[in-house]
Amino acid sequence: MTEPRFMAGDRVRTTTVDPPHHTRLPRYARGQVGEVVEVQGTWPLADERAQGLPDARVEPVYTVRFAAEDLWGPPGGHWVQVELWESYLEVVA
C-alpha cells in the first residue's frame, strides 16, 4: 500500500499536464491551488486503467477543494471539490 503524501489541510497545486488520453484531472482545475479535505484511500490510476494497462499504478486519492472564484472568476463564495490521484498533485511552496 502506498502511504499518502498529503493530509487534510495541506495546500496542493495540480499539474498542468494535458495528456493525449483520458484523465480524471479536469481541465478547469489544472495548475490551480487547492486544499486537501480528505484522503479517500488508494485506487488504481484511472488514466492507466482507461488505456487498458494491465498493472495500473495504485495511488492515494484525495478530495481537494478549490475556491470557485479561483477557477472561473467572480462571483465567488462557494467551493468545488474534486477527487484527484496523487500524481496530479504537488506541494505548494
Side-chain angles (χ1 to χ4, degrees), residues 17-50:
V17 174
D18 187 16
H21 52 74
H22 171 78
T23 182
R24 294 291 302 269
L25 175 57
R27 192 172 302 272
Y28 62 79
R30 294 179 191 164
Q32 299 295 321
V33 174
E35 177 183 346
V36 173
V37 175
E38 186 175 18
V39 181
Q40 297 289 337
T42 55
W43 296 90
L45 182 61
D47 302 46
E48 293 182 354
R49 291 194 69 178

Side-chain angles (χ1 to χ4, degrees), residues 12 19 40 44 52 56 89-91:
V12 293
Q40 297 289 337
L89 304 174
E90 58 188 40
V91 174

